[in-house]
mmCIF file of all heavy atoms in Angstrom:
data_model
loop_
_atom_site.group_PDB
_atom_site.id
_atom_site.type_symbol
_atom_site.label_atom_id
_atom_site.label_comp_id
_atom_site.label_asym_id
_atom_site.label_seq_id
_atom_site.Cartn_x
_atom_site.Cartn_y
_atom_site.Cartn_z
ATOM 1 N N MET A 1 9.686 -7.525 1.760
ATOM 2 C CA MET A 1 9.903 -7.474 0.310
ATOM 3 C C MET A 1 8.698 -8.094 -0.381
ATOM 4 O O MET A 1 8.290 -9.204 -0.023
ATOM 5 C CB MET A 1 11.142 -8.268 -0.093
ATOM 6 C CG MET A 1 12.402 -7.860 0.577
ATOM 7 S SD MET A 1 12.906 -6.237 0.096
ATOM 8 C CE MET A 1 14.234 -6.010 1.241
ATOM 9 N N ILE A 2 8.160 -7.380 -1.347
ATOM 10 C CA ILE A 2 7.044 -7.921 -2.112
ATOM 11 C C ILE A 2 7.364 -7.809 -3.603
ATOM 12 O O ILE A 2 8.059 -6.885 -4.019
ATOM 13 C CB ILE A 2 5.708 -7.215 -1.795
ATOM 14 C CG1 ILE A 2 5.782 -5.730 -2.142
ATOM 15 C CG2 ILE A 2 5.305 -7.430 -0.354
ATOM 16 C CD1 ILE A 2 4.451 -5.035 -2.125
ATOM 17 N N PRO A 3 6.872 -8.737 -4.400
ATOM 18 C CA PRO A 3 7.093 -8.653 -5.849
ATOM 19 C C PRO A 3 6.393 -7.413 -6.427
ATOM 20 O O PRO A 3 5.283 -7.074 -6.020
ATOM 21 C CB PRO A 3 6.454 -9.924 -6.403
ATOM 22 C CG PRO A 3 6.300 -10.835 -5.240
ATOM 23 C CD PRO A 3 6.164 -9.963 -4.034
ATOM 24 N N VAL A 4 7.041 -6.753 -7.350
ATOM 25 C CA VAL A 4 6.458 -5.593 -8.018
ATOM 26 C C VAL A 4 5.153 -5.984 -8.713
ATOM 27 O O VAL A 4 4.230 -5.181 -8.836
ATOM 28 C CB VAL A 4 7.466 -4.979 -9.020
ATOM 29 C CG1 VAL A 4 6.839 -3.884 -9.842
ATOM 30 C CG2 VAL A 4 8.681 -4.448 -8.278
ATOM 31 N N SER A 5 5.039 -7.239 -9.119
ATOM 32 C CA SER A 5 3.827 -7.715 -9.800
ATOM 33 C C SER A 5 2.576 -7.546 -8.946
ATOM 34 O O SER A 5 1.471 -7.487 -9.485
ATOM 35 C CB SER A 5 3.990 -9.175 -10.221
ATOM 36 O OG SER A 5 4.138 -9.998 -9.086
ATOM 37 N N TYR A 6 2.720 -7.465 -7.618
ATOM 38 C CA TYR A 6 1.559 -7.245 -6.754
ATOM 39 C C TYR A 6 0.844 -5.954 -7.103
ATOM 40 O O TYR A 6 -0.352 -5.821 -6.870
ATOM 41 C CB TYR A 6 1.960 -7.212 -5.285
ATOM 42 C CG TYR A 6 2.239 -8.556 -4.669
ATOM 43 C CD1 TYR A 6 2.215 -9.734 -5.410
ATOM 44 C CD2 TYR A 6 2.552 -8.660 -3.330
ATOM 45 C CE1 TYR A 6 2.490 -10.956 -4.831
ATOM 46 C CE2 TYR A 6 2.820 -9.879 -2.734
ATOM 47 C CZ TYR A 6 2.788 -11.020 -3.489
ATOM 48 O OH TYR A 6 3.052 -12.226 -2.913
ATOM 49 N N LEU A 7 1.576 -4.988 -7.651
ATOM 50 C CA LEU A 7 0.973 -3.700 -8.005
ATOM 51 C C LEU A 7 -0.071 -3.858 -9.105
ATOM 52 O O LEU A 7 -0.908 -2.975 -9.295
ATOM 53 C CB LEU A 7 2.049 -2.703 -8.432
ATOM 54 C CG LEU A 7 3.091 -2.370 -7.365
ATOM 55 C CD1 LEU A 7 4.169 -1.467 -7.952
ATOM 56 C CD2 LEU A 7 2.449 -1.735 -6.150
ATOM 57 N N ASN A 8 -0.051 -4.969 -9.822
ATOM 58 C CA ASN A 8 -1.040 -5.234 -10.871
ATOM 59 C C ASN A 8 -2.303 -5.911 -10.346
ATOM 60 O O ASN A 8 -3.293 -5.979 -11.060
ATOM 61 C CB ASN A 8 -0.432 -6.119 -11.967
ATOM 62 C CG ASN A 8 0.663 -5.416 -12.717
ATOM 63 O OD1 ASN A 8 0.598 -4.219 -12.952
ATOM 64 N ND2 ASN A 8 1.690 -6.151 -13.087
ATOM 65 N N HIS A 9 -2.272 -6.416 -9.125
ATOM 66 C CA HIS A 9 -3.428 -7.111 -8.547
ATOM 67 C C HIS A 9 -4.438 -6.089 -8.027
ATOM 68 O O HIS A 9 -4.093 -5.200 -7.254
ATOM 69 C CB HIS A 9 -3.003 -8.017 -7.386
ATOM 70 C CG HIS A 9 -2.304 -9.260 -7.823
ATOM 71 N ND1 HIS A 9 -2.984 -10.411 -8.136
ATOM 72 C CD2 HIS A 9 -0.987 -9.531 -7.989
ATOM 73 C CE1 HIS A 9 -2.120 -11.346 -8.482
ATOM 74 N NE2 HIS A 9 -0.891 -10.837 -8.399
ATOM 75 N N VAL A 10 -5.680 -6.253 -8.453
ATOM 76 C CA VAL A 10 -6.747 -5.332 -8.029
ATOM 77 C C VAL A 10 -6.884 -5.327 -6.509
ATOM 78 O O VAL A 10 -7.049 -4.267 -5.896
ATOM 79 C CB VAL A 10 -8.090 -5.717 -8.698
ATOM 80 C CG1 VAL A 10 -9.232 -4.893 -8.142
ATOM 81 C CG2 VAL A 10 -7.991 -5.545 -10.199
ATOM 82 N N GLU A 11 -6.773 -6.497 -5.899
ATOM 83 C CA GLU A 11 -6.909 -6.577 -4.437
ATOM 84 C C GLU A 11 -5.809 -5.773 -3.737
ATOM 85 O O GLU A 11 -6.065 -5.070 -2.763
ATOM 86 C CB GLU A 11 -6.870 -8.041 -3.994
ATOM 87 C CG GLU A 11 -7.253 -8.229 -2.556
ATOM 88 C CD GLU A 11 -7.385 -9.691 -2.160
ATOM 89 O OE1 GLU A 11 -7.108 -10.587 -2.983
ATOM 90 O OE2 GLU A 11 -7.762 -9.932 -1.012
ATOM 91 N N PHE A 12 -4.582 -5.835 -4.238
ATOM 92 C CA PHE A 12 -3.490 -5.070 -3.642
ATOM 93 C C PHE A 12 -3.673 -3.577 -3.915
ATOM 94 O O PHE A 12 -3.412 -2.749 -3.048
ATOM 95 C CB PHE A 12 -2.130 -5.550 -4.178
ATOM 96 C CG PHE A 12 -0.970 -5.042 -3.368
ATOM 97 C CD1 PHE A 12 -0.651 -5.621 -2.155
ATOM 98 C CD2 PHE A 12 -0.205 -3.982 -3.821
ATOM 99 C CE1 PHE A 12 0.416 -5.158 -1.395
ATOM 100 C CE2 PHE A 12 0.864 -3.514 -3.067
ATOM 101 C CZ PHE A 12 1.173 -4.095 -1.853
ATOM 102 N N GLN A 13 -4.134 -3.218 -5.103
ATOM 103 C CA GLN A 13 -4.397 -1.823 -5.435
ATOM 104 C C GLN A 13 -5.454 -1.242 -4.499
ATOM 105 O O GLN A 13 -5.303 -0.123 -4.003
ATOM 106 C CB GLN A 13 -4.851 -1.696 -6.887
ATOM 107 C CG GLN A 13 -3.777 -2.048 -7.889
ATOM 108 C CD GLN A 13 -4.315 -2.170 -9.308
ATOM 109 O OE1 GLN A 13 -5.511 -2.049 -9.554
ATOM 110 N NE2 GLN A 13 -3.422 -2.408 -10.251
ATOM 111 N N ASN A 14 -6.514 -2.001 -4.249
ATOM 112 C CA ASN A 14 -7.554 -1.550 -3.324
ATOM 113 C C ASN A 14 -7.005 -1.391 -1.911
ATOM 114 O O ASN A 14 -7.339 -0.441 -1.198
ATOM 115 C CB ASN A 14 -8.743 -2.513 -3.331
ATOM 116 C CG ASN A 14 -9.514 -2.471 -4.628
ATOM 117 O OD1 ASN A 14 -9.485 -1.478 -5.351
ATOM 118 N ND2 ASN A 14 -10.206 -3.551 -4.937
ATOM 119 N N PHE A 15 -6.152 -2.329 -1.517
ATOM 120 C CA PHE A 15 -5.526 -2.274 -0.200
ATOM 121 C C PHE A 15 -4.676 -1.002 -0.068
ATOM 122 O O PHE A 15 -4.754 -0.293 0.938
ATOM 123 C CB PHE A 15 -4.671 -3.531 0.009
ATOM 124 C CG PHE A 15 -4.076 -3.659 1.371
ATOM 125 C CD1 PHE A 15 -4.836 -4.109 2.436
ATOM 126 C CD2 PHE A 15 -2.742 -3.349 1.586
ATOM 127 C CE1 PHE A 15 -4.292 -4.233 3.696
ATOM 128 C CE2 PHE A 15 -2.185 -3.485 2.836
ATOM 129 C CZ PHE A 15 -2.953 -3.924 3.900
ATOM 130 N N LEU A 16 -3.878 -0.688 -1.092
ATOM 131 C CA LEU A 16 -3.060 0.524 -1.066
ATOM 132 C C LEU A 16 -3.916 1.783 -1.056
ATOM 133 O O LEU A 16 -3.610 2.740 -0.336
ATOM 134 C CB LEU A 16 -2.112 0.565 -2.266
ATOM 135 C CG LEU A 16 -0.888 -0.322 -2.219
ATOM 136 C CD1 LEU A 16 -0.087 -0.171 -3.507
ATOM 137 C CD2 LEU A 16 -0.023 0.004 -1.024
ATOM 138 N N SER A 17 -4.979 1.791 -1.833
ATOM 139 C CA SER A 17 -5.867 2.953 -1.868
ATOM 140 C C SER A 17 -6.494 3.199 -0.502
ATOM 141 O O SER A 17 -6.562 4.337 -0.038
ATOM 142 C CB SER A 17 -6.967 2.765 -2.911
ATOM 143 O OG SER A 17 -6.420 2.787 -4.197
ATOM 144 N N HIS A 18 -6.930 2.121 0.134
ATOM 145 C CA HIS A 18 -7.520 2.248 1.468
ATOM 146 C C HIS A 18 -6.475 2.771 2.465
ATOM 147 O O HIS A 18 -6.762 3.650 3.271
ATOM 148 C CB HIS A 18 -8.082 0.904 1.924
ATOM 149 C CG HIS A 18 -8.668 0.948 3.295
ATOM 150 N ND1 HIS A 18 -9.851 1.592 3.572
ATOM 151 C CD2 HIS A 18 -8.220 0.459 4.468
ATOM 152 C CE1 HIS A 18 -10.101 1.490 4.865
ATOM 153 N NE2 HIS A 18 -9.127 0.801 5.427
ATOM 154 N N SER A 19 -5.270 2.240 2.380
ATOM 155 C CA SER A 19 -4.194 2.686 3.262
ATOM 156 C C SER A 19 -3.882 4.166 3.040
ATOM 157 O O SER A 19 -3.684 4.919 3.991
ATOM 158 C CB SER A 19 -2.943 1.841 3.025
ATOM 159 O OG SER A 19 -1.897 2.265 3.846
ATOM 160 N N GLU A 20 -3.857 4.575 1.786
ATOM 161 C CA GLU A 20 -3.585 5.978 1.470
ATOM 162 C C GLU A 20 -4.686 6.883 2.027
ATOM 163 O O GLU A 20 -4.411 7.936 2.602
ATOM 164 C CB GLU A 20 -3.475 6.180 -0.031
ATOM 165 C CG GLU A 20 -3.235 7.632 -0.411
ATOM 166 C CD GLU A 20 -3.332 7.889 -1.895
ATOM 167 O OE1 GLU A 20 -3.969 7.096 -2.612
ATOM 168 O OE2 GLU A 20 -2.775 8.903 -2.335
ATOM 169 N N GLU A 21 -5.942 6.468 1.865
ATOM 170 C CA GLU A 21 -7.061 7.265 2.369
ATOM 171 C C GLU A 21 -7.007 7.393 3.885
ATOM 172 O O GLU A 21 -7.265 8.455 4.431
ATOM 173 C CB GLU A 21 -8.392 6.633 1.961
ATOM 174 C CG GLU A 21 -8.699 6.771 0.492
ATOM 175 C CD GLU A 21 -9.899 5.938 0.061
ATOM 176 O OE1 GLU A 21 -10.638 5.424 0.933
ATOM 177 O OE2 GLU A 21 -10.092 5.795 -1.161
ATOM 178 N N GLU A 22 -6.651 6.308 4.563
ATOM 179 C CA GLU A 22 -6.609 6.303 6.023
ATOM 180 C C GLU A 22 -5.412 7.061 6.583
ATOM 181 O O GLU A 22 -5.541 7.841 7.513
ATOM 182 C CB GLU A 22 -6.553 4.862 6.546
ATOM 183 C CG GLU A 22 -7.833 4.099 6.418
ATOM 184 C CD GLU A 22 -8.856 4.503 7.466
ATOM 185 O OE1 GLU A 22 -8.491 4.705 8.633
ATOM 186 O OE2 GLU A 22 -10.033 4.619 7.087
ATOM 187 N N PHE A 23 -4.227 6.823 6.007
ATOM 188 C CA PHE A 23 -2.998 7.287 6.631
ATOM 189 C C PHE A 23 -2.096 8.119 5.730
ATOM 190 O O PHE A 23 -1.142 8.723 6.204
ATOM 191 C CB PHE A 23 -2.172 6.082 7.130
ATOM 192 C CG PHE A 23 -2.956 5.144 7.996
ATOM 193 C CD1 PHE A 23 -3.359 3.913 7.521
ATOM 194 C CD2 PHE A 23 -3.302 5.498 9.280
ATOM 195 C CE1 PHE A 23 -4.089 3.042 8.308
ATOM 196 C CE2 PHE A 23 -4.031 4.637 10.085
ATOM 197 C CZ PHE A 23 -4.429 3.410 9.596
ATOM 198 N N GLY A 24 -2.324 8.102 4.422
ATOM 199 C CA GLY A 24 -1.413 8.763 3.495
ATOM 200 C C GLY A 24 -0.152 7.940 3.312
ATOM 201 O O GLY A 24 0.010 6.876 3.910
ATOM 202 N N PHE A 25 0.748 8.410 2.469
ATOM 203 C CA PHE A 25 2.003 7.702 2.223
ATOM 204 C C PHE A 25 3.211 8.453 2.754
ATOM 205 O O PHE A 25 4.332 8.034 2.585
ATOM 206 C CB PHE A 25 2.197 7.465 0.717
ATOM 207 C CG PHE A 25 1.325 6.383 0.148
ATOM 208 C CD1 PHE A 25 0.614 6.600 -1.010
ATOM 209 C CD2 PHE A 25 1.225 5.149 0.752
ATOM 210 C CE1 PHE A 25 -0.172 5.608 -1.552
ATOM 211 C CE2 PHE A 25 0.436 4.144 0.229
ATOM 212 C CZ PHE A 25 -0.261 4.378 -0.927
ATOM 213 N N ASP A 26 3.007 9.607 3.363
ATOM 214 C CA ASP A 26 4.117 10.438 3.823
ATOM 215 C C ASP A 26 4.485 10.056 5.251
ATOM 216 O O ASP A 26 3.916 10.566 6.212
ATOM 217 C CB ASP A 26 3.727 11.911 3.740
ATOM 218 C CG ASP A 26 4.910 12.824 3.999
ATOM 219 O OD1 ASP A 26 6.054 12.386 3.805
ATOM 220 O OD2 ASP A 26 4.676 13.972 4.406
ATOM 221 N N HIS A 27 5.421 9.131 5.388
ATOM 222 C CA HIS A 27 5.828 8.646 6.698
ATOM 223 C C HIS A 27 7.348 8.703 6.816
ATOM 224 O O HIS A 27 8.060 8.631 5.823
ATOM 225 C CB HIS A 27 5.335 7.209 6.915
ATOM 226 C CG HIS A 27 3.850 7.110 6.898
ATOM 227 N ND1 HIS A 27 3.062 7.496 7.943
ATOM 228 C CD2 HIS A 27 2.987 6.712 5.926
ATOM 229 C CE1 HIS A 27 1.787 7.327 7.629
ATOM 230 N NE2 HIS A 27 1.725 6.848 6.405
ATOM 231 N N PRO A 28 7.866 8.801 8.035
ATOM 232 C CA PRO A 28 9.301 9.004 8.246
ATOM 233 C C PRO A 28 10.192 7.816 7.917
ATOM 234 O O PRO A 28 11.401 7.942 7.944
ATOM 235 C CB PRO A 28 9.393 9.329 9.740
ATOM 236 C CG PRO A 28 8.192 8.712 10.351
ATOM 237 C CD PRO A 28 7.117 8.800 9.288
ATOM 238 N N MET A 29 9.636 6.660 7.561
ATOM 239 C CA MET A 29 10.464 5.487 7.284
ATOM 240 C C MET A 29 11.258 5.655 5.995
ATOM 241 O O MET A 29 12.224 4.955 5.766
ATOM 242 C CB MET A 29 9.602 4.224 7.188
ATOM 243 C CG MET A 29 8.873 3.847 8.456
ATOM 244 S SD MET A 29 9.961 3.468 9.825
ATOM 245 C CE MET A 29 10.678 1.937 9.273
ATOM 246 N N GLY A 30 10.842 6.567 5.123
ATOM 247 C CA GLY A 30 11.563 6.798 3.880
ATOM 248 C C GLY A 30 11.113 5.920 2.734
ATOM 249 O O GLY A 30 11.542 6.088 1.620
ATOM 250 N N GLY A 31 10.244 4.989 2.981
ATOM 251 C CA GLY A 31 9.722 4.109 1.937
ATOM 252 C C GLY A 31 8.222 4.037 2.044
ATOM 253 O O GLY A 31 7.597 4.785 2.796
ATOM 254 N N LEU A 32 7.633 3.149 1.302
ATOM 255 C CA LEU A 32 6.191 2.962 1.352
ATOM 256 C C LEU A 32 5.839 2.307 2.679
ATOM 257 O O LEU A 32 6.308 1.214 2.994
ATOM 258 C CB LEU A 32 5.742 2.082 0.181
ATOM 259 C CG LEU A 32 4.261 1.749 0.097
ATOM 260 C CD1 LEU A 32 3.421 3.011 0.004
ATOM 261 C CD2 LEU A 32 4.003 0.851 -1.094
ATOM 262 N N THR A 33 5.032 2.998 3.474
ATOM 263 C CA THR A 33 4.625 2.505 4.786
ATOM 264 C C THR A 33 3.145 2.190 4.760
ATOM 265 O O THR A 33 2.339 3.031 4.369
ATOM 266 C CB THR A 33 4.920 3.562 5.876
ATOM 267 O OG1 THR A 33 6.303 3.876 5.841
ATOM 268 C CG2 THR A 33 4.553 3.049 7.249
ATOM 269 N N ILE A 34 2.800 0.982 5.149
ATOM 270 C CA ILE A 34 1.412 0.556 5.193
ATOM 271 C C ILE A 34 1.062 0.308 6.655
ATOM 272 O O ILE A 34 1.544 -0.645 7.265
ATOM 273 C CB ILE A 34 1.182 -0.712 4.349
ATOM 274 C CG1 ILE A 34 1.593 -0.449 2.901
ATOM 275 C CG2 ILE A 34 -0.269 -1.154 4.440
ATOM 276 C CD1 ILE A 34 1.584 -1.669 2.017
ATOM 277 N N LEU A 35 0.262 1.206 7.209
ATOM 278 C CA LEU A 35 -0.112 1.096 8.609
ATOM 279 C C LEU A 35 -1.309 0.157 8.742
ATOM 280 O O LEU A 35 -2.440 0.522 8.445
ATOM 281 C CB LEU A 35 -0.455 2.472 9.180
ATOM 282 C CG LEU A 35 0.692 3.475 9.173
ATOM 283 C CD1 LEU A 35 0.211 4.839 9.605
ATOM 284 C CD2 LEU A 35 1.815 2.998 10.065
ATOM 285 N N CYS A 36 -1.032 -1.071 9.126
ATOM 286 C CA CYS A 36 -2.071 -2.067 9.366
ATOM 287 C C CYS A 36 -1.457 -3.161 10.228
ATOM 288 O O CYS A 36 -0.241 -3.225 10.395
ATOM 289 C CB CYS A 36 -2.609 -2.645 8.061
ATOM 290 S SG CYS A 36 -1.461 -3.730 7.200
#
């Protein structure tokens, strides 16, 4: 569980963008999956 406010942090946004570029967001878990 992470606070929604993390979505406003540039560092977290960059982390999500990198994750999306590497792996995409379409994973069978049904939620946001961050492969790291």
Side-chain angles (χ1 to χ4, degrees):
M1 304 293 172
I2 61 168
V4 173
S5 64
Y6 283 4
L7 299 175
N8 294 324
H9 286 272
V10 173
E11 191 173 4
F12 194 78
Q13 293 169 357
N14 291 336
F15 185 79
L16 284 179
S17 292
H18 178 71
S19 179
E20 178 189 22
E21 288 170 12
E22 287 284 319
F23 308 107
F25 285 132
D26 189 23
H27 298 283
M29 297 298 291
L32 178 59
T33 303
I34 302 172
L35 298 173
C36 71

